Amino acid sequence: MMKTMKGPGIFLAQFAGDTAPFNDLASIAGWAAGHGYKGVQIPTWDARLIDLKKAAESKDYCDEITGICREAGVEITDLSTHLQGQLVAVHPAFDEAFDGFAAPEVRGNPKARQEWAVDQLKLAARASANFGFTSHVTFPGALAWPFLYPWPQRPAGLIDTAFEELAKRWVPILDAFDAAGCDVGYEIHPGEDVFDGATFEMFLEACGDHPRCQINYDPSHFVLQQLDYLEFIDIYHERICAFHVKDAEFNPTGRQGVYSGYQPWVKRAARFRSLGDGQVDFAGIFSKLAEHDYDSWAVLEWECCLKSPEQGAAEGAPFIAAHIIEVTDKAFDDFASGGTDEAANRRMLGIGG
């Protein structure tokens, strides 16, 4: 039997804030339900929405959080540790830029910050088990990103060493998620060492083909890289455990292309857009995922350089709902079935006996 994905869901990270209805879980969950969302993806770094340590230690607390969301009219899709995952591996060039992602007590101390990040991921694994989730979304971090472009020439073994170290840091975390019965969906993203299919394969190999090393599929980042995001599904569908529905566009000019010339988002050739305003072939994506039996959530990650978040959220739920394919349980030509059996099949093939 083919499977139908769940949705629409919404990632709350870009919407949480200090004013109602975005400043506590009950209110923002009700807001999401009011826009037609059936699920919410919770960023674990936002204490207004969840206490990660408490969720790791108390199933009763997780049941309480689940109840708050259900009373508001939504389910929890899974948890996110994008900011903490980024800090599992940080090149020194980005130490100061990423310090704000960490708890105040570990800022300015890269070693303590990394240990804090690893602990956060392991807490998320335990929390996911308490919730009963089977997927989790995060970033892998980066050590080699400053060496993305091969000039100056990269020393032999530099990238291999980077991926070996990245895997060394992540395998114990993946083991913790394995014990929790939960996959880790890495968002394949520029700024991470895992930013396309080739780098995912390198990371997966370095992690010993760990069964919990999975993908949070987001086509927007592939549009900006000019990668074939439909073929990506055909190649890696067995490793896709989560889906961020996000749009983007790439409009190269005589002045800029993929790298977009250090321009602000609104002036970039490569930029993110609200659903339906960009160039992503969502009909093709939803068809590919249905073909490959993806049955987890379709979750809006809203980022747009032009449209307001409120308008983007309001338009996102019906857009996703309209694209989810309720898969068929019968063939369209069943009406013409001759109702044959094995004996008839053998006769039709001219096979005697």
Side-chain angles (χ1 to χ4, degrees), residues 10-13 39-43 77-80 82 137 244 299:
I10 185 170
F11 186 26
L12 297 179
V40 292
Q41 189 175 73
I42 298 180
T77 65
D78 46 15
L79 303 177
S80 156
H82 281 78
V137 292
H244 269 178
V299 176

Side-chain angles (χ1 to χ4, degrees), residues 3-327:
K3 301 174 183 177
T4 297
M5 74 176 69
K6 294 176 282 191
I10 185 170
F11 186 26
L12 297 179
Q14 285 84 5
F15 301 96
D18 291 326
T19 58
F22 308 108
N23 56 346
D24 68 75
L25 184 60
S27 297
I28 199 170
W31 166 84
H35 278 309
Y37 292 98
K38 297 180 180 179
V40 292
Q41 189 175 73
I42 298 180
T44 60
W45 60 86
D46 196 323
R48 293 168 299 197
L49 305 182
I50 192 171
D51 182 327
L52 179 58
K53 189 172 187 296
K54 194 172 180 180
E57 295 172 347
S58 171
K59 188 177 186 307
D60 287 342
Y61 173 73
C62 294
D63 291 342
E64 178 186 341
I65 293 293
T66 300
I68 288 171
C69 290
R70 284 181 178 165
E71 187 173 348
V74 293
E75 297 180 47
I76 305 173
T77 65
D78 46 15
L79 303 177
S80 156
T81 55
H82 281 78
L83 299 194
Q84 303 100 311
Q86 183 76 64
L87 300 181
V88 170
V90 177
H91 188 278
F94 297 103
D95 269 339
E96 190 167 347
F98 282 141
D99 235 14
F101 288 4
E105 63 270 20
V106 298
R107 293 173 188 169
N109 185 336
K111 183 176 184 296
R113 186 186 61 203
Q114 185 211 334
E115 291 172 352
W116 173 86
V118 171
D119 182 62
Q120 286 278 296
L121 267 294
K122 290 182 177 179
L123 289 175
R126 289 160 53 195
S128 295
N130 284 337
F131 277 109
F133 297 149
T134 57
S135 67
H136 179 80
V137 292
T138 193
F139 277 149
L143 298 172
W145 181 252
F147 305 100
L148 172 70
Y149 197 78
W151 181 259
Q153 187 181 60
R154 291 189 291 257
L158 179 72
I159 302 303
D160 291 338
T161 299
F163 276 86
E164 288 168 6
E165 178 63 26
L166 194 65
K168 179 181 176 181
R169 298 183 187 190
W170 273 104
V171 166
I173 299 171
L174 289 167
D175 288 343
F177 275 94
D178 191 37
C182 187
D183 293 329
V184 179
Y186 294 99
E187 185 164 344
I188 295 181
H189 188 291
E192 313 302 315
D193 280 345
V194 182
F195 59 86
D196 60 9
T199 51
F200 175 74
E201 291 177 15
M202 293 167 67
F203 180 56
L204 180 62
E205 181 179 6
C207 290
D209 291 328
H210 201 291
R212 298 298 179 180
C213 183
Q214 303 278 325
I215 295 169
N216 176 28
Y217 176 77
D218 182 339
S220 67
H221 303 297
F222 298 155
V223 170
L224 303 194
Q225 296 180 65
Q226 293 295 279
L227 184 152
D228 187 335
Y229 52 85
L230 293 178
E231 186 181 26
F232 184 97
I233 297 173
D234 287 332
I235 298 170
Y236 301 109
H237 60 90
E238 291 181 350
R239 291 277 176 175
I240 295 174
C241 71
F243 173 25
H244 269 178
V245 190
K246 190 169 82 171
D247 211 343
E249 62 185 0
F250 179 61
N251 299 305
T253 70
R255 290 187 171 88
Q256 57 167 286
V258 170
Y259 300 114
S260 291
Y262 292 116
Q263 297 304 295
W265 276 109
V266 74
K267 294 183 178 180
R268 290 172 64 88
R271 60 188 193 173
F272 299 125
R273 300 298 308 276
S274 281
L275 294 187
D277 295 344
Q279 298 168 347
V280 174
D281 177 7
F282 285 108
I285 288 171
F286 278 81
S287 294
K288 287 281 188 186
L289 290 173
E291 177 185 346
H292 291 297
D293 286 339
Y294 175 79
D295 63 351
S296 192
W297 285 88
V299 176
L300 169 70
E301 183 184 22
W302 176 87
E303 291 180 355
C304 185
C305 59
L306 296 175
K307 188 168 284 183
S308 74
E310 184 65 33
Q311 185 180 3
E315 295 174 350
F319 184 94
I320 293 172
H323 280 81
I324 290 177
I325 296 172
E326 296 181 11
V327 297

